[in-house]
Amino acid sequence: MPVSNDEFRAVLGRFASGVTVVTTIDAEDRPRGMTVSAFSSISLDPPLVAVSIDRGTASHAAITHSGVFVVNILADDQEVLSRHFASATADKFEGIAFSSGLEGIPVLTGTLATLECRTKHVYEGGDHTIFVAEVEQARIADGAPLLYFRGGYARLVL
């Protein structure tokens, strides 16, 4: 018998994950972004990562169109930023500091790390699409990550 949605969610909630904001641009070159915890590294050579994006979001349509995105890995003091990009706010970039990266995609300011990526493979995954992309630019900063665990934010004690 298949696992219920509630049971599956409860089990996955026991897996602590980092928190990212995936940013891109849409067909009109407007910045788009959303909070994403479904992110993973795939390969070192070539450097590949994967993000899983809900097909119903504006960011999904934008990534599909542009073929590029940034994975902004959030620092432990950026919970507000995560909540902001997880909200239904119409203009998620109003008042948000960012610079322009690969092909004009927004790179958030002050994050723990960023990966500027170009899509190489696209796979269907239920109600999501899995975008596998090659990392073309990377940046790191000192600090600790923001974590998500059992439905809430957590911090790593170093």
Side-chain angles (χ1 to χ4, degrees):
M1 174 170 8
V3 174
S4 73
N5 289 351
D6 289 340
E7 184 178 24
F8 189 54
R9 185 183 310 265
V11 169
L12 294 181
R14 278 16 181 221
F15 180 71
S17 64
V19 181
T20 72
V21 171
V22 173
T23 54
T24 190
I25 52 173
D26 66 14
E28 288 78 37
D29 291 330
R30 293 177 300 201
R32 298 289 181 186
M34 64 184 294
T35 300
V36 173
S37 60
F39 159 75
S40 65
S41 62
I42 301 295
S43 167
L44 287 174
D45 187 17
L48 299 175
V49 297
V51 294
S52 180
I53 307 294
D54 185 319
R55 289 187 198 158
T57 65
S59 291
H60 181 279
I63 292 170
T64 300
H65 171 77
S66 70
V68 291
F69 59 88
V70 176
V71 178
N72 299 273
I73 299 171
L74 300 188
D76 64 353
D77 63 350
Q78 294 182 309
E79 179 179 334
V80 170
L81 195 60
S82 173
R83 290 184 185 280
H84 175 77
F85 277 93
S87 74
T89 302
D91 183 359
K92 293 188 180 177
F93 286 87
E94 185 177 340
I96 301 296
F98 66 92
S99 60
S100 185
L102 178 71
E103 296 189 27
I105 46 180
V107 178
L108 300 180
T109 302
T111 60
L112 188 60
T114 59
L115 301 166
E116 296 181 44
C117 306
R118 185 173 307 277
T119 302
K120 294 297 181 188
H121 307 284
V122 178
Y123 303 100
E124 289 188 24
D127 56 2
H128 283 59
T129 297
I130 303 161
F131 295 92
V132 175
E134 187 165 358
V135 177
E136 293 190 3
Q137 298 286 328
R139 179 197 61 80
I140 60 170
D142 290 330
L146 180 62
L147 301 176
Y148 197 73
F149 178 70
R150 293 183 71 181
Y153 292 94
R155 279 142 187 89
L156 180 64
V157 178
L158 299 175

